[in-house]
Amino acid sequence: MTRIDPLPIHFDARVLDHDTGPALHEAAPSPWFAANEPHTEGRLRIERMHDILARGPVSDAVRFAPGRLAAEEELAAVHDAAYIEEVRRATERGGGWVTGTTRLSAGSYAPLLAAAGTALAAAETVLSGAAPLAYALTRPPGHHAQRAQADGYCFFNGAALAADAARRAGIERVLVVDWDVHHGNGTQDIFYERDDVLTVSLHMDHGAWGPSHPQTGRLEERGAGAGAGFTQNVPLPLGAGNTAYLRAFDEVVAPLAERFRPGMIVCASGQDASAYDPNGRHNVSMPGFRGIGRRVRELAERHSEGRAILVQEGGYNPSYAPYCLLATVEGLLGGASETPDPLAYVPDQLLGLDARFAEIAAELSPERLARVGAPGPR
């Protein structure tokens, strides 16, 4: 694997203006405290991620590139027009809590357009041939945003927009890989009946969490209609660490990619599977995220002429998530650089992994793999 640099990091400062306000972690503020902390999905996490890339050990191997505002017509490629209008009108009314965890402010609409547009800008960089890899450093996350439902801090689905942009640009098959600690239910919902986009989500086995997130993320959710077999969930036992996530790439993502032969890879890149994340209970540390980055690069070089688009998702500990992003980027770059982990000491958790991967292996029967196989000679 040769080193690629500079890696374009698409960023639009307008995303920082999405004000999620005070909260009790991710819920409405408690009247029992004189002062509540900021909502978990705040600007600091992305500011710190930007800092570590701009000032840390890979600063000479990345370049910051602009984002842009998405047009509502572009959003309508993956979201219902009435839903887009509903989000806009909610901000015009002053914002508020959309779900029990998900909040808008009066000034949120332009930042939401900037978040979606920055994902599209990263896609345009790769699709134009300007760079083989591009990263959209943006907020709020998007992978819980369904076709017509906000959820989990998410309003517009950047990874889905990037995948759809690749299809409209003539890429016949797109692989979406999501390693945010939560199920990528929005992306699943958007592509559930399509066979041109294969979605794979690695996540804690949390199940459905209410009307805004009815999908379970379990193995039985495989797609429907033309998309039957083109959804693959990898629900991992609580506390799963580096070994689990890298096994998921090697034993699930890689064989599916080998059959599907994607022309583009789109990644929902979350760092909330870390040991220190307030929203995750998994033990992935910097070596695990670095291994994920390397595997994405290897998959892209094997299947998609080196092309991959990565869109920022979760990662809510502003002290550790930036280091996990740094490790992800080090893996993508393919060099020898390995920044020491300043915090992680939790041992890898292996309990239940063999049983879960045996269950998934049974799902990946020759018949199932044949179903997702690309047409034509191999």
Side-chain angles (χ1 to χ4, degrees), residues 4 37 44 60 130 139 152 173 182 197 200 214 242 244 247 264 284 313 332 334 341 348 354 363 373:
I4 286 182
E37 70 266 27
L44 179 62
D60 63 341
R139 67 173 284 265
R173 294 174 300 279
H182 304 107
V197 178
V200 185
N242 297 340
R247 280 187 67 177
M264 180 66 73
V284 183
E313 297 289 350
L332 288 171
D341 195 319
D348 223 358
D354 287 340
E363 284 274 308

Side-chain angles (χ1 to χ4, degrees), residues 287-310:
F289 285 107
R290 190 176 295 112
I292 288 172
R294 287 192 181 122
R295 282 161 173 78
V296 169
R297 173 76 178 280
E298 290 166 356
L299 286 170
E301 289 182 342
R302 180 169 178 81
H303 298 292
S304 58
E305 300 179 350
R307 298 177 300 185
I309 305 155
L310 293 92

